[in-house]
Amino acid sequence: MLQNVHDVIFDGLKIEEFDSSPYTYYNSAIKIESSKFVTIKNSIIKNTMDLGIYGLNSKNIVIDNNEIAYTGGYGIEIRNAIAEYKKLEQSNIKITNNIIHDTSSILAGGGGTVALEKIVGATIANNHIYDIPRVAIMFTGNENIVE
């Protein structure tokens, strides 16, 4: 877990067969909390019991050119607590050029591929999303761009 960190880059990381037993929601292969300027690029995240990448109350997160597949829950979920969201500060989150498939195989209620909750100013662009049983992209917040 990355907590209260900044200026971190993961390039070419490979995470496979991540088992977060016992199962509790928000277990993830990569968890980013209250952090800024974190980049995950050119990486592979596969076969996780729950989330591939999870972020909470973080800004300036870049998730670019990764393969995320066979997750039990969301491939990527980034959210803010309501107190953080009420500030209406730009998050500058970029989720771009990823291949995301076969997600949410365990999570029964509402799971999907990419979820942004209570986020301001995020961009989701040029991702190839396929073979998913539920929602491809789900977001709440302000000034978000999906291309």
Side-chain angles (χ1 to χ4, degrees):
M1 171 158 81
L2 303 171
Q3 189 170 26
N4 296 312
V5 301
H6 59 85
D7 301 299
V8 175
I9 298 173
F10 292 104
D11 188 352
L13 186 67
K14 187 173 185 179
I15 299 174
E16 291 194 71
E17 304 297 333
F18 175 77
D19 182 0
S20 57
S21 296
Y23 178 81
T24 58
Y25 196 59
Y26 300 125
N27 285 340
S28 58
I30 298 175
K31 186 173 187 178
I32 306 163
E33 188 173 319
S34 301
S35 297
K36 57 186 177 181
F37 299 104
V38 175
T39 298
I40 302 164
K41 63 181 182 177
N42 305 316
S43 297
I44 297 171
I45 300 170
K46 286 185 175 181
N47 300 315
T48 66
M49 187 173 180
D50 196 357
L51 306 167
I53 299 171
Y54 175 71
L56 176 65
N57 298 334
S58 297
K59 292 182 175 36
N60 299 295
I61 305 299
V62 175
I63 302 170
D64 182 61
N65 198 41
N66 302 289
E67 181 182 6
I68 301 170
Y70 306 105
T71 61
Y74 291 99
I76 301 169
E77 181 178 6
I78 301 178
R79 61 175 48 219
N80 279 327
I82 193 68
E84 189 68 25
Y85 175 61
K86 284 183 176 182
K87 296 176 187 176
L88 294 176
E89 296 175 348
Q90 292 289 314
S91 66
N92 296 313
I93 293 169
K94 310 270 187 250
I95 301 172
T96 56
N97 305 307
N98 298 288
I99 298 170
I100 308 169
H101 60 94
D102 297 286
T103 61
S104 292
S105 60
I106 296 173
L107 185 61
T113 300
V114 178
L116 300 177
E117 185 175 335
K118 297 187 277 295
I119 300 293
V120 177
T123 300
I124 302 171
N126 303 315
N127 296 288
H128 184 180
I129 300 171
Y130 63 94
D131 288 344
I132 57 168
R134 294 175 183 80
V135 179
I137 299 173
M138 177 176 76
F139 61 91
T140 62
N142 306 31
E143 300 177 22
N144 296 308
I145 298 169
V146 177
E147 302 178 315

